[in-house]
C-alpha cells in the first residue's frame, strides 16, 4: 500500500478521495489513519468525514474505492438508468466528469452468483458493480458488470404517494412500512406534473438536518392510485419486477406457430389426459392420466402419465423470449393480476393444454407398484389433446358422488383410476414421511372493482393432493434421468435446518415438555412426531409456526444437496415451465439427454453457468414472494381501514423487542402492538421462549397465544395495521380470567396518559 506524506493536520475530503482512489485493496478507517499518521484522538473526526462522503455517494462504505479518472476500475459505483431493446439493464458510473472525459461508458448489468433479493437490481437503483470489458468489438456497450451489492435504494430512489399542497409543491407519503411518518417535502416545480394521489418515484435531494423535512424531486410518475389494480402496481415498482415485455419479445411470441404436425413426436392424442386446476386458472400446463398396469409382474400397480406443455418448442436458448424469461425468473401472482414469465401468446394460448386442441408436450410415463413406489419411468416428446378441463372442486365432487355433465362420462374410465392410483402413491408418500406442517393459506377474493370482497381458506381436497403427488413423482424422475445421463441441471434443493435454529427450537420445546433428540441425523419425520404430539392442543398453532421458522428456505442450485422437507435425495422442478425458468432448463436438459429433437440445453451451459442461473432465479423467487405478501397486506389494510376501533380475535404471530405481531382469525391480516403500549409493566423479549415477559408481573405474551385486539390505526398504502391489546397474557404458564374489555381498555388508556404527562 502506498503511504502518503504524513500531514500535521487532518486530511481534507479531497485528500481522502485521492488516497482511496490510488489503492488496489480494501481500505478501512484503520488503514487511512495509519497512512496519514492520525492519532486515536483524530479518528472520530476521520470517521465522521468518511460517513459524509458515503452519504454524498462519493464512496461506498464497505469497499471505499473510487475509479481512476477517465477509466472504469474493476469495481464501480453505478446508477442503473434504463433497459435496452432486449430488456437488459444498463448502468452508468455514478462519478464521471463528462466535460473532461466525454460521455460516460455504459455497462450491461448481470446478476451475481448466489444473488440475494437485495442484489436483484432495477431501473433507478444504485449498485456496486464488478466490471470487465465484454471483448465484443461490434457491441456499442463495451463493459459488463456483475452486481456485488445493491446500495440502499432509499438513498437514491423512494416510492410513495404524492400529496399536492394548495400553494404548489407537495409531500411524499412513503409506501415502505419502515418509513411510515417520514414524509418528504416536494418543492414547487419539482413535482414533474404529478397529481394528488399518484404513485411516484423521487430522488432525495437533501437530508434533514435539524428541523423540517428532507426534500426530494419527482423523477418518475408510475400510475394513479385512483385506477383499478393500483395496489399490485405498488409492489411491482417497489421490487422492480419487470412487467412490460420488450417489443422484440412480443414480436417473437406473436410469430410463433402452432404445431399442427407430429414432426417426429409420439402421438398421444387418443389418451384421455385431463387438466385439473383452480377454477380461476387461465393457463393449464399439466395433464394427467392413470390406468392399472396390465403387467402380471406388477399386480396392483399403476401406469401414471404426466404431460407438461412443451415450452422449449417455442422458447429457444438465447432468444429474446429466453432472455426475458430468465430476467423474470418466474410468474408473479397477485390477487388482481398476474405478471407472467412469458407473454400470453405463449402461456395462455400455445402452451395452455386446452380441451380438444392439439398441443406439444413433454411427457413422462411412471410405473408404480402396489406399494406406491416408482419402479420405472420413461420420457417422451408427444402431441396430445386434453380430454377435459376440470377444477379441483369439480373433480372431487364427481368422485364423491356428485358428477356433472363434464365429469359424468369420465368418472369410471378416467377419474376413478386416477384416484385409485393416488391412494396407491400415497402409501409410499406416508412411508417417506415428508415434513407435514399444518399452516393453511388464505386467499383474497376481489369484487368486480378490485376491492376485497372476502378472505377465504380454500379446503385442501384429495384432488389437490393427487396432482401434487403426481407432480412430485414426475419431478423426481426428471432429476434421476438427467443425473444418469450426466447432463447438468438445476435442482430444487432444501437444506437441513441450521444447527443454531434447531438448538433454539429444542430449548423452546423443552418449555413445553417436548424433547428433540440431540444425537443422530435430523429427519423431517422427527418434526412430524412433534407436530403430532401437539395436534388439537392450544399450542398447536404455536409449534407449527416455530417449526416452520426453523426450516431453511428452498432454492435452486446446480449442486444437489437434497430436499429436506420432501425427504428426497434428488429433486428438480419439471412440471411448470410456463411460470418457472428452472423447469424450462430441466426440459432442455431432458431433450439433450434423450435426443428428443431441437431446443435442448446448449453445451456451454455447464454446471457453473447453471449455478449462476440458479442463484438468479432463486433471488427472483424471493422477490416475488415478498411482493405478493406485501400486496396481501396492503389489500387487507384497505379492507380494514374503515373499521378503526373495532375489536378482533387473533393470535400472536411474532414477538420482538419492539412489540408483538398479531394475525387476525377472520382475514389473516397482520398488525403490530408496540411493547410500550402493552401495560404498566416493562416487557422484556425472551428469544428462547418467543415471548415478551413483564419484568415485575411475569405476565407473558407468547408466540401462538390467543388474543383480543382493537384496531387503532391503518396505513393502507404501506399495508400496516396497529393494534391495542385487550386481553391479558399468561401467568406462570396459565391464563388468568380475562377482564372485561372496557376495563382493560381504560386501564391502558390511563397508563398512556400518565406516561405522557411525565
Amino acid at each position: 500500500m502506498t503511504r502518503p506524506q504524513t500531514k500535521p493536520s487532518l486530511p481534507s475530503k479531497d485528500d481522502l478521495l485521492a488516497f482511496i482512489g490510488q489503492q488496489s485493496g480494501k481500505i478501512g478507517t484503520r488503514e487511512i489513519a495509519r497512512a496519514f499518521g492520525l492519532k486515536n484522538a483524530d479518528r472520530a473526526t476521520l470517521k465522521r468525514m468518511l460517513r459524509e462522503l458515503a452519504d454524498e455517494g462519493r464512496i461506498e462504505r464497505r469497499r471505499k474505492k473510487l475509479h481512476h479518472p477517465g477509466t472504469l476500475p474493476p469495481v464501480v459505483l453505478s446508477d442503473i438508468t434504463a433497459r435496452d431493446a432486449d430488456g437488459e439493464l444498463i448502468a452508468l458510473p455514478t462519478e464521471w466528469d463528462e466535460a473532461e472525459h466525454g460521455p460516460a461508458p455504459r455497462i450491461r448489468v448481470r446478476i451475481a452468483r448466489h444473488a440475494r433479493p437485495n442484489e436483484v437490481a432495477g431501473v433507478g437503483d444504485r449498485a456496486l458493480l464488478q466490471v470487465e470489458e465484454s471483448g465484443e468489438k461490434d457491441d456499442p456497450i463495451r463493459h459488463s458488470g456483475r452486481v456485488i451489492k445493491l446500495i440502499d435504494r432509499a438513498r437514491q430512489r423512494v416510492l410513495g404517494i404524492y400529496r399536492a399542497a394548495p400553494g404548489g409543491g407537495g409531500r411524499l407519503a412513503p409506501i415502505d412500512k419502515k418509513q411510515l411518518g417520514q414524509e418528504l417535502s416536494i418543492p414547487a416545480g419539482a413535482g414533474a406534473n404529478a397529481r394528488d394521489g399518484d404513485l411516484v418515484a423521487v430522488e432525495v435531494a437533501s437530508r434533514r438536518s435539524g428541523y423540517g423535512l428532507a426534500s426530494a424531486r419527482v423523477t418518475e410518475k408510475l400510475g394513479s392510485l385512483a385506477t383499478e389494480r393500483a395496489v399490485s402496481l405498488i409492489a411491482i415498482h417497489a421490487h422492480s419486477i419487470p412487467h412490460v415485455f420488450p417489443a422484440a419479445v412480443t414480436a417473437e411470441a406473436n410469430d410463433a406457430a402452432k404445431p399442427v404436425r407430429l414432426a417426429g413426436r409420439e402421438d398421444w392424442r387418443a389418451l384421455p389426459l385431463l387438466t385439473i386446476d383452480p377454477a380461476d386458472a387461465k393457463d393449464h400446463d399439466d395433464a394427467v392420466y392413470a390406468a392399472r398396469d396390465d403387467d402380471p409382474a406388477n399386480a396392483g400397480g399403476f401406469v401414471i402419465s404426466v404431460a407438461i406443455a412443451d415450452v422449449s418448442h417455442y422458447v429457444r436458448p438465447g432468444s429474446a423470449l429466453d432472455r426475458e424469461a430468465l430476467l423474470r425468473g418466474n410468474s408473479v401472482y397477485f390477487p388482481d393480476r398476474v405478471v407472467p414469465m412469458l407473454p400470453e401468446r405463449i402461456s395462455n394460448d400455445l402452451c395452455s393444454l386446452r380441451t380438444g386442441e392439439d398441443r406439444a408436450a413433454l411427457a413422462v410415463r411412471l410405473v408404480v407398484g402396489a406399494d406406491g413406489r416408482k419402479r420405472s419411468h420413461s420420457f417422451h416428446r408427444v402431441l396430445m389433446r386434453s380430454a377435459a378441463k376440470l377444477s379441483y372442486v369439480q373433480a372431487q365432487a364427481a368422485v364423491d358422488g356428485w358428477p356433472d355433465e363434464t365429469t359424468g362420462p369420465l368418472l369410471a374410465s378416467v377419474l376413478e383410476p386416477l384416484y385409485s392410483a393416488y391412494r396407491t402413491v400415497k402409501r409410499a408418500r406416508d412411508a417417506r414421511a415428508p415434513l407435514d406442517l399444518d399452516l393453511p393459506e388464505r386467499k383474497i377474493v376481489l369484487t368486480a372493482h378490485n376491492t376485497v370482497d372476502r378472505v377465504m381458506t380454500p379446503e385442501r381436497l384429495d384432488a389437490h393432493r393427487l396432482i401434487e403427488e403426481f407432480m412430485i413423482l414426475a419431478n423426481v424422475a426428471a432429476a434421476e434421468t438427467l443425473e444418469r445421463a450426466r447432463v447438468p441441471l438445476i435442482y430444487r434443493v432444501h437444506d437441513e435446518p441450521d444447527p443454531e435454529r434447531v438448538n433454539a427450537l429444542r430449548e423452546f420445546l423443552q418449555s413445553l415438555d417436548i424433547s428433540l433428540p440431540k444425537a443422530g441425523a435430523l429427519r423431517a419425520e422427527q418434526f412430524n412426531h412433534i407436530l403430532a404430539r401437539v395436534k388439537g392442543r392450544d399450542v398447536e398453532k404455536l409449534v407449527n409456526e416455530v417449526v416452520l421458522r426453523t426450516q431453511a428456505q428452498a432454492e435452486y442450485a446446480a449442486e444437489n444437496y437434497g430436499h429436506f422437507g420432501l425427504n428426497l435425495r434428488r429433486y428438480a422442478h419439471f412440471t411448470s415451465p410456463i411460470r418457472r425458468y428452472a423447469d424450462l432448463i430441466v426440459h432442455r436438459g431432458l431433450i439433450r439427454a434423450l435426443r428428443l429433437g431441437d431446443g435442448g440445453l446448449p453445451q456451454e451451459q455447464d454446471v457453473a453457468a447453471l449455478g449462476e442461473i440458479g442463484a438468479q432465479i432463486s433471488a427472483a423467487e424471493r422477490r416475488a414472494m415478498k411482493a405478493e405478501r406485501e400486496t396481501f397486506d396492503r389489500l387487507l389494510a384497505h379492507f380494514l381501514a374503515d373499521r378503526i376501533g373495532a375489536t378482533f380475535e387473533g393470535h400472536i404471530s411474532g414477538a420482538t423487542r419492539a412489540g408483538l405481531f398479531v394475525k387476525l382469525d377472520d382475514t389473516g391480516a397482520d398488525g403490530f402492538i408496540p411493547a410500550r403500549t402493552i401495560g404498566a409493566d416493562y416487557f422484556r423479549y425472551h428469544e428462547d421462549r418467543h415471548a415478551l415477559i413483564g419484568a415485575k408481573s411475569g405476565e407473558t405474551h407468547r408466540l401462538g397465544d390467543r388474543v383480543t385486539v382493537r384496531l387503532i390505526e391503518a396505513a393502507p398504502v404501506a399495508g400496516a395495521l396497529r393494534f391495542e391489546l385487550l386481553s391479558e397474557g399468561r401467568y406462570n404458564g396459565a391464563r388468568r380470567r380475562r377482564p372485561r374489555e372496557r376495563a382493560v381498555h381504560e386501564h391502558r388508556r390511563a397508563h398512556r396518559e400518565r406516561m405522557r404527562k411525565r
Side-chain angles (χ1 to χ4, degrees), residues 209-382:
S209 58
Y211 298 101
L213 300 176
S215 63
R217 63 181 182 88
V218 175
T219 58
E220 188 178 5
K221 293 188 297 180
L222 304 174
S224 172
L225 291 192
T227 62
E228 295 181 352
R229 309 198 305 172
V231 174
S232 56
L233 184 71
I234 293 174
I236 288 169
H237 287 289
H239 295 282
S240 302
I241 295 173
H243 65 291
V244 177
F245 287 105
V249 174
T250 304
E252 212 169 81
N254 291 337
D255 289 343
K258 294 184 179 181
V260 294
R261 296 178 294 107
L262 284 172
R265 297 176 182 271
E266 296 179 34
D267 192 347
W268 281 29
R269 287 176 291 184
L271 196 68
L273 290 150
L274 302 177
T275 62
I276 306 177
D277 293 291
D280 56 356
K282 294 183 179 180
D283 52 62
H284 312 274
D285 58 354
D286 57 81
V288 294
Y289 174 76
R292 290 196 176 274
D293 193 355
D294 56 10
D295 184 352
N298 190 28
F302 284 84
V303 178
I304 301 170
S305 298
V306 177
I308 307 298
D310 190 357
V311 176
S312 60
H313 177 82
Y314 301 99
V315 183
R316 297 301 174 89
S319 64
L321 277 167
D322 182 48
R323 292 194 299 271
E324 183 69 15
L326 174 57
L327 177 70
R328 296 181 177 220
N330 48 253
S331 298
V332 187
Y333 293 86
F334 299 108
D336 60 341
R337 75 171 87 191
V338 176
V339 180
M341 185 180 80
L342 296 167
E344 289 191 5
R345 167 69 171 160
I346 302 293
S347 60
N348 289 1
D349 183 7
L350 300 179
C351 289
S352 186
L353 306 181
R354 295 179 176 176
T355 305
E357 296 187 22
D358 291 356
R359 287 292 185 266
L362 196 61
V364 58
R365 186 167 279 152
L366 305 151
V367 179
V368 298
D371 60 356
R373 298 181 185 276
K374 181 173 66 67
R375 291 191 167 193
S376 63
H377 68 266
S378 58
F379 282 91
H380 311 261
R381 211 169 189 184
V382 306

Side-chain angles (χ1 to χ4, degrees), residues 38 77 115 196 268 375 466 490 525 536 547 634 641 648 652 720 739:
L38 301 180
L77 187 63
D196 188 75
W268 281 29
R375 291 191 167 193
L466 181 153
I490 291 179
E525 187 177 7
V547 169
R634 289 188 176 102
F648 301 90
I652 296 174

